[in-house]
Amino acid sequence: MAETEKVFQVQKTGENIRLQLAGRLDSGSVGAIWNEAVEAADDEVVVDASEVEYCDGAGSALLCELQRRGGRIEGLRPEIAKVFELFTGEGGVQKAKKRSSDSPLEAVGRAGWEFLQDVRDQVAFLGQMTVVFLSLRGSRANRIRWNDVWLIFERAGVQALVVVGMISFLTGLIMAFQAAPPLQQFGVDIFVVNLVGLAMVRELGPIMTAIVLAGRSGSAFAAEIGTMKVNEEIDALTTMGLDPVRFLVAPRVLAGIMVTPLLIVYADLLGVAGGFVVMIARGFPVVALWQQLTGAVGVNDVLAGLIKGFVFGALVAGIGCLRGLQTKDGASAVGVSTTSSVVSAIFLIVVVDAVFAVVYYMIGF
Amino acid sequence: MSEESVIEVQDLSAGYGETVILENVNFTVKRGEIFGILGGSGCGKSTLLKHLIGLLPLRGGKVLIDGRELATAHGEERQKILRHIGVGYQSSALFGSMTLAENITLPLEEFTDLPAAAREAIAWTKLKLVSLENYGGHLPAEISGGMQKRAAIARAMALDPAVLFLDEPSAGLDPVTSAELDALILKLRDSLGVTFVIVTHELASIYAVADRVIMLDKQKKGIIAEGRPQDLRDESQDPFVRKFFHREA
């Protein structure tokens, strides 16, 4: 490579190695000679830089690296030496320190410790929310920012109708499609209605609604509050004497508690409608389907799903807000909080649903 | 364009949408000069800077950087001009998910064929230049505001630009850190010959570093004074300029 030969040459005289640098040492030329020059400078060598005409930051970095490896820089022109000194200065040449990375054992320990801390934070946050809600009961209820509650209610509820409706309708439809043929073999395909009705009302309606809410609204809460944290707006609230939990979390959790059961009822209806569509297509009259449904699904079943809705609503909104408040500095931290809010909420929804299943079984609900 | 001018602004007209903020702005910046853009809040200093560095389209006029027009350049030509300049933002604008060293190596990765070891070494030298050589592995959130400003300058210097634009470099810094930053600017100019265009309203910094300044005015939508800061302070007859330099209400 002609340019390389022009700016770099290795001269060997007996055991002495001399690196000859010449011409322009800049980001355009340094890349081509870097590896060769650095390898040649592994031993104590003389670096003759008397022919160097120009040296920018990249050239200085090469000279620094050669010096760090034991090379002795000689013959630098005064104006170039002045630039070179800027980069070496006191303390000589050294490498930038890298972030130390954990060993696998340390990483496991750190993850375990962070998990325990997170559990502690969630319990503390639950306690904080309880205290705030208790302080807002009765005549102090007007301290809740009801305008915010209705706004969030609309965003989390009304604007979620389409997606919740579509998912529920299709779920009911798919369930009926899958269940009808095998049940027909035994002549009991009318029981598809029982399956779809009970599954939607007791389990799938609440869980699917909560998961959609976690993806739409919980993540939005985390991003919104996280951005406020990064912009020091949370600090401003605190120093103004406004409790961020009362000011930001309470309206969101309240809206979540109010809107989730309503969305669940809506999801149940659409899911059952999806199942009905399949059954009607298979030749069943609507009256027969309705009678089968009312016989299979009782008020208790609907209530069982709605009770979950109140808890899931509080959980999704609460986790979203908590992750927002836990946001660290920087734009990437908001992304981390948002992701974490969705993952944590879905995980907790499943755990809490399992607890509900056991409790309902034990009390015969 | 005269030989010693590195930036030439001709009849620049600037603004957002229908709003005109600056009209018929003309000035030149000489190579190796530290040039200040001053003015009260809302007079268009930062807007002018955004037009100079090509972030906003011009309403009229021309900005020539080393004789080349950024506004009309595209593709490779635009990249060449952008490599010729570096910008330090008011908020530092370091990438929060990257360490300081990674912030500096990013433009080197994108615009050069340097091997990884060379990029790392260059990052270190740039950090050394701004006395942050021990913080290469830190994230921006883990260092102070003053250190972030210096790191932002190191990143802006990654490709050895001929011109550095700095937006409010001293904003929010304590006097000692601010003075250190001023010293760094002078060091970079004196040693590397870098030309600086600095938008600021910090008088102490202006006196410490600026060779020449222009002052913008919101009402007149343009330059109301130009010269050495000490001369403007002592000799200007313009009431706003006098108020600005004498800190009068």
Side-chain angles (χ1 to χ4, degrees):
Chain A
M1 195 174 174
E3 198 181 348
T4 308
E5 286 166 12
K6 187 184 164 194
V7 298
F8 174 67
Q9 212 174 6
V10 181
Q11 293 175 340
K12 287 185 180 173
T13 315
E15 288 187 355
N16 294 327
I17 301 173
R18 194 175 179 85
L19 302 186
Q20 181 84 39
L21 295 170
R24 288 179 66 85
L25 286 183
D26 57 22
S27 55
S29 62
V30 160
I33 64 167
W34 184 279
N35 289 336
E36 200 182 346
V38 165
E39 276 168 28
D42 273 348
D43 300 310
E44 283 201 6
V45 297
V46 172
V47 179
D48 181 358
S50 57
E51 299 295 317
V52 173
E53 294 160 7
Y54 172 81
C55 180
D56 69 359
S60 298
L62 175 63
L63 293 177
C64 284
E65 187 63 18
L66 296 177
Q67 194 176 60
R68 194 182 70 82
R69 287 170 177 262
R72 202 166 67 246
I73 313 289
E74 285 184 358
L76 271 180
R77 292 181 186 181
E79 67 273 18
I80 296 174
K82 198 174 149 191
V83 173
F84 180 52
E85 278 167 19
L86 275 179
F87 298 107
T88 51
E90 287 177 18
V93 179
Q94 50 178 289
K95 277 276 181 186
K97 287 180 187 167
K98 286 190 167 179
R99 290 175 78 77
S100 59
S101 55
D102 289 338
S103 69
L105 194 62
E106 282 174 323
V108 170
R110 192 181 297 281
W113 177 244
E114 283 172 0
F115 177 75
L116 290 176
Q117 279 184 319
D118 189 40
V119 171
R120 187 199 61 189
D121 289 347
Q122 288 182 28
V123 172
F125 184 68
L126 184 66
Q128 228 178 332
M129 275 203 311
T130 309
V131 169
V132 166
F133 277 114
L134 287 177
S135 72
L136 294 173
R137 71 190 190 284
S139 60
R140 290 188 167 187
N142 60 358
R143 292 189 70 204
I144 295 172
R145 296 172 60 80
W146 287 105
N147 284 344
D148 288 355
V149 174
W150 299 128
L151 193 70
I152 296 159
F153 185 90
E154 186 189 335
R155 268 194 240 149
V158 180
Q159 292 174 15
L161 284 177
V162 174
V163 65
V164 169
M166 286 293 288
I167 289 174
S168 303
F169 182 80
L170 290 174
T171 304
L173 192 127
I174 292 163
M175 251 199 301
F177 248 129
Q178 297 289 345
L183 289 178
Q184 192 186 21
Q185 291 176 7
F186 301 99
V188 290
D189 46 346
I190 186 68
F191 285 103
V192 167
V193 175
N194 299 44
L195 173 72
V196 172
L198 282 172
M200 283 307 299
V201 167
R202 288 189 72 99
E203 288 296 337
L204 290 179
I207 281 212
M208 307 253 295
T209 306
I211 289 174
V212 169
L213 212 65
R216 277 190 85 253
S217 307
S219 59
F221 296 163
E224 193 179 355
I225 295 176
T227 307
M228 290 177 77
K229 181 85 186 294
V230 172
N231 291 340
E232 298 178 313
E233 292 173 46
I234 304 288
D235 294 344
L237 279 177
T238 309
T239 50
M240 276 191 266
L242 298 169
D243 179 7
V245 174
R246 180 180 73 76
F247 199 81
L248 297 171
V249 178
R252 284 165 176 78
V253 171
L254 209 54
I257 291 172
M258 286 158 60
V259 82
T260 312
L262 295 177
L263 281 176
I264 287 174
V265 171
Y266 173 72
D268 293 347
L269 289 174
L270 268 288
V272 170
F276 270 31
V277 167
V278 173
M279 297 306 283
I280 289 166
R282 295 179 72 87
F284 287 92
V286 177
V287 178
L289 296 175
W290 180 252
Q291 278 179 348
Q292 187 69 21
L293 181 72
T294 49
V297 180
V299 176
N300 275 5
D301 298 314
V302 177
L303 279 179
L306 288 184
I307 291 167
K308 286 181 186 178
F310 289 109
V311 177
F312 288 166
L315 198 144
V316 166
I319 282 288
C321 295
L322 174 64
R323 293 294 182 240
L325 289 171
Q326 287 174 329
T327 304
K328 297 188 174 74
D329 282 338
S332 59
V334 177
V336 170
S337 296
T338 309
T339 308
S340 173
S341 76
V342 178
V343 174
S344 305
I346 291 174
F347 176 72
L348 284 174
I349 286 165
V350 175
V351 169
V352 170
D353 193 55
V355 173
F356 267 115
V358 174
V359 172
Y360 283 169
Y361 175 76
M362 287 173 74
I363 62 173
F365 192 53
Chain B
M1 187 163 151
S2 66
E3 274 184 22
E4 59 179 358
S5 296
V6 64
I7 297 171
E8 192 161 335
V9 176
Q10 299 169 356
D11 299 323
L12 179 142
S13 185
Y16 299 97
E18 296 297 307
T19 315
V20 178
I21 296 173
L22 297 166
E23 280 178 320
N24 299 321
V25 172
N26 290 283
F27 64 88
T28 56
V29 181
K30 294 171 191 163
R31 196 173 300 281
E33 191 175 36
I34 299 179
F35 187 82
I37 299 175
L38 311 181
S41 299
C43 70
K45 301 187 294 291
S46 294
T47 305
L48 175 59
L49 183 74
K50 283 179 182 172
H51 283 88
L52 295 182
I53 59 180
L55 281 181
L56 289 176
L58 296 169
R59 294 176 69 88
K62 273 184 185 177
V63 174
L64 301 172
I65 297 174
D66 263 339
R68 293 176 291 190
E69 198 175 352
L70 183 58
T72 55
H74 298 285
E76 189 62 28
E77 175 66 11
R78 187 176 174 83
Q79 292 298 333
K80 271 185 193 167
I81 303 173
L82 289 176
R83 282 189 61 166
H84 207 61
I85 66 173
V87 185
Y89 296 91
Q90 192 172 349
S91 62
S92 299
L94 294 165
F95 302 119
S97 57
M98 297 180 184
T99 63
L100 300 192
E102 287 166 346
N103 264 280
I104 297 169
T105 52
L106 179 68
L108 295 167
E109 279 173 38
E110 293 295 319
F111 295 114
T112 71
D113 298 323
L114 292 165
R119 295 196 299 264
E120 195 185 318
I122 292 171
W124 180 80
T125 57
K126 301 299 178 187
L127 287 168
K128 176 80 182 168
L129 195 63
V130 296
S131 308
L132 288 175
E133 64 272 23
N134 293 322
Y135 294 89
H138 284 61
L139 293 171
E142 295 169 344
I143 59 174
S144 70
M147 291 159 100
Q148 286 182 13
K149 296 268 186 188
R150 282 187 277 144
I153 290 179
R155 184 180 67 179
M157 292 288 297
L159 294 166
D160 295 302
V163 188
L164 264 189
F165 294 89
L166 301 180
D167 190 7
E168 303 278 9
S170 308
L173 299 183
D174 67 79
V176 175
T177 312
S178 181
E180 285 172 359
L181 199 63
D182 292 342
L184 173 65
I185 290 168
L186 287 170
K187 180 170 92 171
L188 294 175
R189 191 273 300 270
D190 295 342
S191 308
L192 302 173
V194 178
T195 304
F196 281 88
V197 177
I198 302 175
V199 168
T200 184
H201 47 224
E202 300 280 336
L203 280 175
S205 288
I206 297 292
Y207 293 135
V209 301
D211 299 313
R212 206 156 53 89
V213 298
I214 54 168
M215 175 163 272
L216 303 177
D217 183 69
K218 195 175 180 177
Q219 306 300 327
K220 294 180 182 168
K221 295 182 179 176
I223 298 171
I224 53 169
E226 182 171 356
R228 289 178 63 241
Q230 291 81 357
D231 293 344
L232 295 183
R233 177 192 61 195
D234 299 335
E235 295 165 15
S236 176
Q237 298 304 311
D238 186 285
F240 181 78
V241 176
R242 290 191 65 80
K243 273 186 186 176
F244 187 92
F245 278 98
H246 293 275
R247 298 172 65 92
E248 292 168 356

